[in-house]
Amino acid sequence: MHRLIRNPFRRNRDSAINNRRLRGPILLLVIGTCLLAYFSPPSDSTEPLLAAASKSKSKHPPAQVQLPIIKGVTVTEMDDTKPKEAAKTATTATDKADPFSKEYDNCIVGAGLSGSVIAENYATKLGQTSLIIEKRNHIGGNCYDYTDTETGIRVSLFGAHLFHTRHERVWEYVQRFSEWVPYEHQVLGLVNGKHVPIPVTIDTVNTLFDEKIASTEEMDEWLKKEQVTFYDEDGEEREAENSEEVALMRVGQRLYDLMFKPYTFKQWAKYPAELGPEVLSRIPVRNNHDGRYFSDPHQALPKDGYTAIFDKMLSSPKITVVTNTDYFEVRDKLKCKRLYYTGPVDSYFADLGWPKLEYRSLSFERVVKDNTPGYFQPASVVNHPQATDVDGKEVDFTRIVEYKHLLNQTSDKTIYFIERSKDGGEPYYPVPNDENKNLYKRYQEMAEKEEGVTFVGRLANYKYFNMDDAILNALELFDKDTKDIKTATG
């Protein structure tokens, strides 16, 4: 049993992050938070409010700040990092039954996907207890959704999440916690005033360039004429060295200039040439009419939303969840055999004084339209890749998400969220350029030397994970950590 002790000489909250904890046989998991699809959000000029509803059946609804309706439209700017009040139903560290007075088999920092999966497995397979410490006022991490009280429409607090997987183990696992409704996500982009499929398909090319491509062979021929080839100093074809070269090699100059270059800058505040090839490598280009955003065999949405999944996963009496609680403020109270911790690797080693790794964050502008039994836009997600619209007006956002489309929800109103990418705030997207990659290697070397600690997940590995990858990662980590332990029934 190891009691985790906080440095008593820290000066303030910032130094709480900077101080290293005593070394010991601790196990660390950095949770791979639920991630959003690539084409998501840029700059914000105001300090947003947190707007969310408490109508959800979840035990942990967020706070709500509602602006008045003006001419049939309600606009609220949202920021998950600054809730105005604690959720009334959340368990807090000051509740009458002090959760820190007990001893636990596991302490887990973060109630997102990975932390919840690990706690659930320890409870059901080994009968072990877990204390989950969550800084936010709700469970579910970035997957958290709720029913908007003004419209009755279920929305996500941190952007659209569309579940898809090729991993049979993950698909079988999530079936335990929800009924799933088949759903194949399709994204449109507004380019030159026209809605076109994203990723690029035959229909995208025909619409933008007035082509009449009718077959896969014709599309292949068109792409071949557009694509750019790069050569090394010996005259041999070489692979792409950055995301600009990736796009040029796959779609050519015209589509790159129309869609990929301006969107990437809005998303990352860097041009594709400044980013590693992996950023645009994962965006497919299709030589047919398949307008689906994903091609995985399992694609679906949870019938009752994602938050309901977490409620069920964490319902075991073996699991205690504490929200509105900063781990760094309570870690001297923890008594547990193992610790799973969520957080960026650079925060863990902040006392080294090294530069921080670079992330992009998101802001969400909430808009409600009255007297709208139909829809505001033709698809649930419409990307806005260009820097200006057809009238020359600046477009500083990356996409608009209208949740009414998902699961065929009905209301006499509609609600949509305008997404922007920004610096600062919650870390969503690691910025994969050479400077950050080299800096991460230094942190990685320190992590490998850290006695008894395992760094796992998106923030710890400075790497993009999808939802299913985060779940699989947690399942495999649990397998590894418990391979020598008998099951609760065995």
Side-chain angles (χ1 to χ4, degrees), residues 4-10 16 328-333:
L4 306 180
I5 303 176
R6 181 178 59 187
N7 187 334
F9 299 104
R10 69 182 188 181
F328 291 102
E329 297 296 330
V330 299
R331 62 181 180 181
D332 59 332
K333 301 179 180 181

Side-chain angles (χ1 to χ4, degrees), residues 235-250:
E236 300 291 331
E237 289 189 23
R238 63 169 177 80
E239 296 182 352
E241 296 179 350
N242 55 58
S243 278
E244 178 178 83
E245 292 184 355
V246 167
L248 292 174
M249 291 173 72
R250 299 176 75 177

Side-chain angles (χ1 to χ4, degrees), residues 444-464:
Q444 186 180 37
E445 290 174 357
M446 294 300 299
E448 291 172 351
K449 297 175 183 177
E450 195 74 354
E451 181 183 351
V453 177
T454 301
F455 292 78
V456 180
R458 173 179 62 95
L459 297 178
N461 292 286
Y462 202 63
K463 180 181 179 181
Y464 186 93

